[in-house]
Amino acid sequence: MFEGRGKIYTFLNPVSYLDALKNKKLFSNFDGIFVDGKFLALTIKFLYWKKVKRRSFDMTSIAPELFRYSEIHGKSVYIVASRQDEVETSVAIFGEHYPKLNFVGFRNGYFASEVEIDSEIEKIMRANPDFVICGMGIVRQERFLERLKNAGYCGIAFTCGGFISQTARSKISYYPKFFDLLNLRFVYRMIMEKHTRKRYLLATFCFPVKFFIERIKGCSL
């Protein structure tokens, strides 16, 4: 996955799955969609008879693998995510734990206009990083990476959701081992992040129904 060229990847959990259903064309343009959440993985196994592994862009899954790979092979990283103070803090934290990690650019994930987005994409193209990490919230981050790929970006890009914000607050490992081992990360997020509570509660009722309807309609994974 880290050795490919011109690929974009994103992640879905039961909450973001509901948004993805409204933007099927956008998500179909991605080279890979990972299952971010044990409950979604179990639902897929139950309805589609496919075993999939939970993968997320955070320190419990893909992020440390990518950082170690980048250090060993001299790869460069560019981040577009969260608030400016959070991304600056996170880059400093990553530098402490991965001193050989080469950041060729970073900025916040808030844009005032389409022109500003185009300008940032041009900046990324000039920097030509091996990896781009983008955390702008569901749909916005996917649209950004789609535009980046259409612009001719030849590296590998991942969405990362709230990973950068979480790192800025936690110093490196966001989830306590208890919540991580028991696959209760969503519970911890509801405790720590008030803005997630309504979305998780909504998904509790809507996700099983929507997912089952898609299965009945014959939609494949």
Side-chain angles (χ1 to χ4, degrees), residues 25-202:
K25 186 177 185 301
L26 169 64
F27 282 81
S28 69
N29 292 329
F30 274 72
D31 297 284
I33 299 177
F34 293 95
V35 174
D36 178 9
K38 191 67 174 180
F39 181 65
L40 179 54
L42 291 173
T43 306
I44 292 172
K45 182 178 181 181
F46 179 73
L47 291 179
Y48 286 88
W49 310 294
K50 293 182 179 180
K51 186 177 181 179
V52 295
K53 184 178 180 180
R54 175 256 172 189
R55 301 288 275 173
S56 178
F57 201 95
D58 59 23
M59 295 307 293
T60 69
S61 185
I62 290 179
E65 296 177 10
L66 184 143
F67 292 157
R68 285 193 296 268
Y69 178 89
S70 297
E71 279 195 311
I72 293 171
H73 298 279
K75 301 296 184 178
S76 57
V77 179
Y78 198 110
I79 298 179
V80 179
S82 303
R83 301 196 313 259
Q84 190 63 29
D85 61 320
E86 291 175 331
V87 71
E88 290 175 1
T89 299
S90 294
V91 168
I93 292 171
F94 296 143
E96 293 175 2
H97 290 81
Y98 303 92
K100 295 182 180 180
L101 196 56
N102 177 25
F103 287 102
V104 293
F106 57 86
R107 63 150 289 163
N108 65 76
Y110 294 91
F111 294 91
S113 66
E114 296 296 309
V115 173
E116 189 177 357
I117 292 176
D118 290 336
S119 177
E120 184 63 23
I121 288 176
E122 290 177 5
K123 186 177 178 181
I124 294 173
M125 294 297 290
R126 289 195 299 271
N128 193 30
D130 296 292
F131 299 108
V132 171
I133 302 170
C134 179
M136 297 166 57
I138 187 67
V139 178
R140 289 193 302 275
Q141 59 192 12
E142 281 79 15
R143 285 176 179 161
F144 184 87
L145 292 192
E146 180 187 46
R147 289 171 71 163
L148 181 63
K149 183 177 181 179
N150 290 340
Y153 175 62
C154 294
I156 305 297
F158 297 89
T159 64
C160 71
F163 171 56
I164 298 302
S165 296
Q166 293 168 353
T167 300
R169 293 197 297 270
S170 64
K171 301 306 180 184
I172 192 67
S173 297
Y174 183 65
Y175 297 104
K177 289 185 178 180
F178 172 81
F179 290 91
D180 185 33
L181 291 174
L182 294 181
N183 291 301
L184 294 175
R185 289 171 290 272
F186 74 97
V187 175
Y188 186 72
R189 288 198 67 183
M190 290 179 69
I191 295 172
M192 301 300 295
E193 304 172 34
K194 292 182 179 180
H195 68 279
T196 67
R197 295 171 187 173
K198 183 177 179 180
R199 297 185 68 205
Y200 275 113
L201 290 174
L202 179 64

